Amino acid sequence: MLESSNGVRDRGGDRKAAVLHERDGVPRYEDFPDPVAGEGEVLIEVKAVAVENVDRAVAAGTHFAGRAMMPELPAIPCFDGIGTLPDGRLVGFGNPRPPYGALAERTVIREGAYAAIPDGLDPAAATVLPSAITAMSMKVAAGLQPGESVLVQGATGVAGRLAVQVARLLGAGRIVATGRDDEQLRELGADQVINTTLDDQDLLLAYAESRTDVVVDFLWGRPTELLLRAMVPDTFAFPAPLRLVQIGEVAGAGLHLSAESLRTSGVEIYGAAKGLGPETMGAAYGQVVEWARTGQLTFALERVPLSDIETAWQRTDLRGKRLVVQV
Ligand SMILES: NC(=O)c1ccc[n+]([C@@H]2O[C@H](COP(=O)([O-])OP(=O)(O)OC[C@H]3O[C@@H](n4cnc5c(N)ncnc54)[C@H](OP(=O)(O)O)[C@@H]3O)[C@@H](O)[C@H]2O)c1
């Protein structure tokens, strides 16, 4: 039995995996020692894995959970995916034991750290469902009621496109989609679009006029700072509080929130995890699976084989398509 520098035991078998050797490096398709299931663990034969911004941030060490998920290198990136259990059941799994990750032919997880994937669902399509479940936070965290208006801040990404559809399916009255690209924004079927590259004054005005009840925010940074500033009323009228769910930060990790803005607008800000527990998660998952199976929730995938990981990891041309590695 061989032991590698980070203590991985190799019982002689190697399998292919995407292996990361340097923080902020690019994973390479190569052999990696086969995982061995310890007590309370189970092996997974991986079928499909979505590569998302969060996976790159974990690999780069810039995500808050990055060190825990990938304490040492070499290691295999990505912390969830779709695969089969030893008895052949197809499941969505999470949190492989480091240095193993999801981007491999085989990985190892804690017994029970998986959920069944319903019959008939394509494993690659199933990798996208967690992003749709996150969009359900407009109801779970912010309590969206049918007829209320929703603004999707950052609607042209995969998660944003799903959020526009989820808002419609949850009965939102009016949907506003924001983003940087007019052509992509027009594809979304929203009732109103706002281009976040407008100059500050025009963007403030556009947000102020959008009259929104709930915001699902994938951007943070400058656009969301302006959105919150736009909620300050110009009279002593009673505010109609905006409920904002914070989900992503592609436009910036921080923003300036003035006391006046918070005090006068009545804005409420929640994290996407608010209200999530086994019961609400199960209900959101069931709903999203049903919408996907019946074709009410649609999304575009870019499928690549594991052997192409080095090129695929560096792609920036996906324009709203989820990169899914098929194993
Ligand atoms: N917490 C969760 O469970 C969860 C789940 C899903 C997603 N997220 C987060 O949500 C965010 C979006 O995820 P995704 O998977 O949809 O990503 P994605 O498909 O890669 O899309 C990224 C989006 O961000 C936009 N964007 C990038 N930089 C921007 C900037 N500086 N200003 C304005 N827009 C910018 C892009 O717009 P262009 O088209 O103009 O380039 C694109 O619409 C990420 O932060 C992700 O980590 C969180």
Side-chain angles (χ1 to χ4, degrees):
M1 190 183 299
L2 302 172
E3 187 141 328
S4 76
S5 59
N6 58 357
V8 177
R9 284 175 302 152
D10 175 5
R11 291 207 166 143
D14 276 350
R15 277 176 200 260
K16 293 294 184 193
V19 184
L20 188 76
H21 291 269
E22 294 144 26
R23 295 261 170 229
D24 215 4
V26 175
R28 299 198 297 256
Y29 178 67
E30 53 189 46
D31 291 331
F32 200 76
D34 219 4
V36 177
E39 204 180 322
E41 292 183 331
V42 62
L43 294 174
I44 297 282
E45 302 296 324
V46 181
K47 297 291 176 210
V49 179
V51 176
E52 303 187 24
N53 297 321
V54 63
D55 300 305
R56 295 191 181 86
V58 167
T62 56
H63 189 274
F64 66 88
R67 292 282 159 184
M69 285 177 176
M70 223 180 235
E72 46 184 326
L73 299 178
I76 301 172
C78 295
F79 53 89
D80 60 7
I82 308 296
T84 51
L85 294 169
D87 65 9
R89 272 182 295 157
L90 189 68
V91 294
F93 64 87
N95 297 324
R97 164 167 52 83
Y100 297 100
L103 271 183
E105 289 177 341
R106 181 180 282 181
T107 194
V108 59
I109 60 167
R110 268 183 303 105
E111 180 63 65
Y114 52 78
I117 298 294
D119 289 346
L121 207 57
D122 168 21
T127 65
V128 179
L129 301 184
S131 292
I133 293 170
T134 303
M136 292 291 279
S137 60
M138 66 183 81
K139 179 177 175 187
V140 179
L144 177 73
Q145 297 296 316
E148 288 191 311
S149 60
V150 172
L151 183 147
V152 179
Q153 175 85 315
T156 56
V158 177
R161 286 166 187 262
L162 287 165
V164 170
Q165 297 176 66
V166 166
R168 189 73 77 209
L169 289 162
L170 288 173
R174 220 171 110 262
I175 299 173
V176 184
T178 81
R180 301 186 292 188
D181 182 319
D182 284 333
E183 191 190 325
Q184 289 191 72
L185 283 168
R186 275 194 296 271
E187 293 167 8
L188 303 175
D191 302 297
Q192 183 191 344
V193 301
I194 296 175
N195 192 313
T196 57
T197 62
L198 289 173
D199 67 38
D200 285 8
Q201 280 316 313
D202 289 342
L203 190 51
L204 274 169
L205 195 61
Y207 282 137
E209 287 176 354
S210 69
R211 303 180 321 280
T212 304
D213 296 305
V214 172
V215 173
V216 277
D217 174 42
F218 297 100
L219 298 185
W220 209 240
R222 171 187 172 266
T224 302
E225 178 169 327
L226 290 170
L227 186 152
L228 290 167
R229 206 188 299 163
M231 296 303 129
V232 178
D234 46 19
T235 68
F236 279 125
F238 291 114
L242 173 85
R243 288 116 69 201
L244 182 144
V245 189
Q246 184 359 254
I247 304 178
E249 53 178 71
V250 287
L255 55 68
H256 176 79
L257 177 63
S258 73
E260 175 193 58
S261 168
L262 191 60
R263 185 171 66 244
T264 58
S265 67
V267 63
E268 295 171 9
I269 302 179
Y270 320 107
K274 183 191 171 226
L276 273 190
E279 210 170 292
T280 48
M281 187 77 156
Y285 177 71
Q287 178 64 88
V288 160
V289 165
E290 191 50 29
W291 285 334
R293 276 210 312 194
T294 52
Q296 296 179 82
L297 197 59
T298 59
F299 37 81
L301 307 177
E302 180 76 4
R303 301 167 191 254
V304 297
L306 182 60
S307 54
D308 283 357
I309 188 61
E310 205 166 327
T311 315
W313 187 265
Q314 300 175 78
R315 285 185 62 173
T316 54
D317 61 336
L318 290 165
R319 289 174 55 102
K321 276 196 259 176
R322 182 62 87 217
L323 179 68
V324 180
V325 174
Q326 293 190 302
V327 184

